[in-house]
Amino acid sequence: MKRADFKNAKAIKRKRLSRSFFVRPGKDKAYGGRSVKIAENLLGKFVVRRIGGKKISGRIVEVEVYAGPKDRAAHSFGGRITPRNKVMYQRGGRAYVYLVYGMHWQMNIVTGGKNEPQCVLLRALEVPEEGKSASGPGKLCRYLRLDKSFHGEDITSSDRLWLEDRGEKIDQKDIVRAKRIGIDYAGHYWSSRRWRFYVKGSPAVSRK
DNA sequence: GTACAGATTGAG
DNA sequence: TCAATCTGTACT
């Protein structure tokens, strides 16, 4: 490697997202507002999964906000606390991983402070591997090889799962705001909230 | 204990 | 359009 190349390689910014990204001070302007902001800010960040000496990563291009206890589509609706969702009540920065439809894992990131049960679902990544796909929450977990053992993982300190800022800032005009997928059971008010965000034009976005 | 539905996916 | 597949949840 030439000296200049080495310098360039070192110059690529890879900063792990820390607690302050997931837990933000202040009050929400609208219900779930801070988590909406976090969701938008997650676009363009990278998920990194370390398996032994190997790293798998992907660029986040699609997310959804779930903001209990008012949100009928969220597991925390009504303030329910169950073995499955109790991690949502912890301080932000942890993974909420669970099985849907008896066969697909989904990964959420807990946002907000203690006893503020909110989270952001990761729905799609752009991945470098030819032929591989992470377009959809189930496929994303299959790609990253995530399962129940990651439930509750603190992604601000874990050595096998974390998020990175690599210096990209998605412009507001490139963020599409849409209705969440697969939650029609939550009733018109909640299913019509535009709490799904994706990067305009990304080929990896699910259900375009 | 039983019943039932689901933040999905891939095949037909 | 539909079945796979199983956990969480609500009820008896």
Side-chain angles (χ1 to χ4, degrees):
Chain A
M1 188 185 269
K2 285 184 299 193
R3 187 179 176 81
D5 293 339
F6 182 71
K7 278 182 75 173
N8 284 338
K10 290 272 281 189
I12 296 172
K13 187 181 160 194
R14 290 170 186 249
K15 185 176 174 290
R16 179 192 283 241
L17 299 185
S18 63
R19 189 77 62 200
S20 59
F21 184 94
F22 305 105
V23 184
R24 303 195 181 184
K27 287 180 71 174
D28 290 337
K29 282 188 191 155
Y31 186 70
R34 278 172 297 164
S35 290
V36 163
K37 194 74 199 163
I38 291 168
E40 290 182 328
N41 292 163
L42 279 170
L43 296 175
K45 301 296 189 290
F46 285 75
V47 187
V48 184
R49 164 88 166 94
R50 189 177 68 79
I51 305 174
K54 206 177 150 207
K55 281 183 191 169
I56 303 174
S57 66
R59 175 174 172 258
I60 299 171
V61 294
E62 181 184 353
V63 296
E64 282 177 0
V65 170
Y66 288 86
K70 289 187 194 164
D71 182 1
R72 283 198 99 89
H75 292 158
S76 50
F77 173 67
R80 275 195 302 267
I81 302 177
T82 68
R84 183 175 71 171
N85 75 5
K86 67 182 180 191
V87 67
M88 285 183 76
Y89 291 80
Q90 294 192 247
R91 210 155 51 116
R94 288 179 185 273
Y96 172 22
V97 179
Y98 80 99
L99 194 64
V100 249
Y101 297 108
M103 66 196 92
H104 303 294
W105 295 99
Q106 298 206 164
M107 176 181 171
N108 300 259
I109 296 166
V110 177
T111 56
K114 193 172 171 60
N115 292 322
E116 274 188 294
Q118 308 195 351
C119 63
V120 176
L121 170 68
L122 301 186
R123 286 194 57 92
L125 306 178
E126 273 177 16
V127 304
E129 278 94 331
E130 187 80 29
K132 294 223 178 177
S133 166
S135 305
K139 289 192 272 187
L140 181 149
C141 283
R142 194 175 60 190
Y143 172 75
L144 292 174
R145 313 239 307 255
L146 299 179
D147 58 27
K148 196 179 186 71
S149 76
F150 287 84
H151 186 51
E153 188 93 350
D154 187 342
I155 62 171
T156 67
S157 61
S158 170
D159 64 356
R160 57 181 190 155
L161 182 66
W162 64 90
L163 266 53
E164 278 180 6
D165 181 345
R166 296 186 181 172
E168 182 184 8
K169 172 88 170 74
I170 305 284
D171 199 287
Q172 198 69 32
K173 73 177 182 355
D174 293 319
I175 297 177
V176 181
R177 223 184 146 149
K179 293 198 291 186
R180 293 176 290 178
I181 304 286
I183 53 141
D184 288 344
Y185 62 85
H188 177 263
Y189 180 79
W190 291 102
S191 64
S192 65
R193 301 216 80 165
R194 301 172 100 71
W195 276 359
R196 175 180 177 226
F197 302 87
Y198 61 88
V199 177
K200 187 186 285 181
S202 169
V205 171
S206 69
R207 313 245 196 136
K208 282 187 289 294

